[in-house]
């Protein structure tokens, strides 16, 4: 994978090269050892965006080296954010995090262009901070993984309540707040992670108090709220569905460490459950993933919190079927739905998964079927009949979490699986092949370059 800021070959060149990369897996090996958990992608992205709120330096530690982070860094640079990176990455088994210093002394451009925002949905979250700091913003409507229609109405309603005037013009959200933003009472009709981030970030620089009801409670929101508090805004209710934000005229710099990635943790936990073995997920926070780990326990996998992280083991014994529904935090995360499905393809019985967050998040089903999985889809519900074994096959990665479900199935299957279009994986998993092969998996990247 490419270094965080080493984009001298240009993002488009990088995309062409990575687009053709494939991953080859020879399945049937159990996983044993330890895997260091990286900083959370979905916290690092809004934290990087928070740098737009202050002219002082924001230092973020434990930032994962991912394609999405690289892309956001380019977008932020376009707005005028200066970046410096500290610290070399150590050995694969060591600490993987990077430290990034961001300084947005002068915002030179308040437009976030289509070419960039259409590639990653989270970059739309620059909207709130730009309006709050500059009184104007022009941000392309977003793209991102094709897992549903993914509207932005809640983001816009929230920002309007804070006083932004918003128009849509030629695919862009054009926002103005000539008198600045002012605190408001916002009740979201539906839980949205992105809308909560966008409004929370904007509220930190709005005049007075903002109350966000029915806010998302994901740990990544809490991480951003904690960082904003270090920057001088006061946020109460962290971890609950009611956030109270005392905005400030000016925010200060801060130093903040990105929390461990709970979805990466859950993904490796499912992989160990699928292949069998015993792995310590170093640095993982068990409380950020309680529902998913409880479900894993129900499948017959042992889950143990230790001082060093979370230990996952399945030695002998079959995989028990389960029934699960995805829900906003603290429920079972949609971002682990595909990985759980890969595990359940080999359960001794029939499991049911209902996807309630995104309407098109079952693209992995037909690819899992290539490996021999028996899955029936009816609307938002997948019925998975466990099979005795999966057999390796060529498959296609379709979105970030779907791709990694194919890795899990490949690791648990017999023979060779080749996954095409792995650039999806590089958006959200740091050193995936290295981490898995260090635990005994036979997995390699077939590079096109
Ligand atoms: C965030 O996406 C995550 N992305 C997603 O992770 C995650 O799947 C999702 O939250 C749900 O947990 C990041 O954190 C960068 P939402 P987001 O707004 O914010 C509807 C991954 O794999 N909605 O909580 O885009 C929406 O259509 C990614 O890492 C509206 O109707 O998700 C969906 O049905 C993929 N109107 C539901 O809310 C809006 O204005 C939840 O979406 C906004 C959302």
């Amino acid at each position: 994978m490419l270094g965080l800021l080493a984009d001298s070959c240009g993002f488009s060149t990088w995309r062409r090269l990575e687009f053709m990369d494939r991953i080859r897996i020879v399945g049937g090996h159990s996983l044993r050892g330890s895997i260091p958990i990286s900083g959370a992608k979905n916290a690092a992205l809004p934290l990087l965006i928070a740098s737009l709120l202050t002219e002082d330096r924001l230092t973020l530690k434990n930032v994962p080296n991912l394609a999405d982070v690289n892309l956001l860094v380019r977008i932020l640079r376009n707005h005028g954010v200066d970046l410096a990176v500290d610290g070399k990455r150590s050995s694969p088994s060591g600490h993987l995090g990077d430290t990034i210093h961001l300084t947005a002394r002068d915002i030179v451009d308040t437009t976030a262009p289509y070419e960039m925002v259409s590639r990653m949905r989270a970059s739309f979250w620059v909207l709130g901070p730009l309006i709050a700091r500059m009184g104007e913003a022009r941000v392309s409507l977003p793209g991102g993984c094709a897992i549903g229609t993914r509207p932005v109405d809640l983001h816009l309603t929230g920002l309007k309540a804070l006083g932004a005037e918003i128009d849509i013009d030629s695919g862009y959200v054009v926002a103005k707040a000539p008198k600045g933003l002012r605190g408001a009472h916002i009740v979201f009709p539906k839980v949205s992670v992105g809308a909560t981030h966008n409004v929370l970030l904007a509220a930190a620089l709005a005049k007075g108090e903002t109350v966000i009801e029915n806010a998302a409670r994901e740990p990544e929101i809490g991480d951003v709220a904690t960082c904003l508090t270090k920057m001088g805004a006061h946020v109460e209710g962290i971890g609950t569905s009611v956030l109270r934000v005392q905005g400030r005229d000016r925010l200060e710099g801060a130093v903040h460490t990105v929390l461990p990635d709970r979805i990466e943790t859950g993904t490796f936990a499912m992989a160990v459950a699928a292949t069998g073995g015993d792995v310590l997920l170093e640095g993982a926070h068990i409380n950020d993933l309680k529902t998913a780990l409880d479900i894993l326990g129900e499948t017959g996998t042992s889950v143990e919190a230790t001082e060093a992280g979370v230990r996952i083991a399945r030695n002998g014994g079959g995989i028990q079927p389960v029934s699960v529904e995805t829900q906003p935090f603290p429920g079972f995360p949609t971002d682990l739905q595909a990985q759980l499905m890969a595990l359940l393809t080999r359960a001794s019985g029939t499991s049911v998964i209902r996807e309630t967050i995104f309407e098109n998040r079952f693209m992995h089903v037909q690819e899992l079927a290539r490996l021999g999985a028996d899955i029936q889809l009816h609307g938002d519900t997948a019925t998975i009949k466990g099979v005795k074994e999966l057999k390796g096959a060529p498959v296609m990665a379709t979105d970030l979490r779907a791709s990694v479900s194919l890795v899990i199935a490949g690791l648990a299957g017999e023979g060779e699986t080749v996954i095409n279009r792995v650039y999806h994986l590089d958006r959200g998993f740091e050193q995936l092949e290295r981490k898995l092969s260090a635990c005994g998996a036979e997995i390699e990247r077939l590079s096109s370059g």
Side-chain angles (χ1 to χ4, degrees), residues 41-42 45 121-122 125 145 147 149-155 190-195 197 218 262 334-335 356-359 361 400-401:
K41 167 182 84 85
N42 289 349
L45 298 175
R121 187 172 171 84
W125 306 346
C145 284
I147 54 182
T149 49
R150 307 186 79 183
V152 291
D153 54 320
L154 302 173
H155 300 239
K190 179 174 186 173
V191 178
S192 161
V193 171
H197 276 309
E218 270 65 5
R262 69 194 163 98
T334 173
D335 289 349
T356 74
I357 309 290
F358 293 111
E359 70 270 26
R361 210 173 197 182
L400 170 55
R401 309 304 177 186

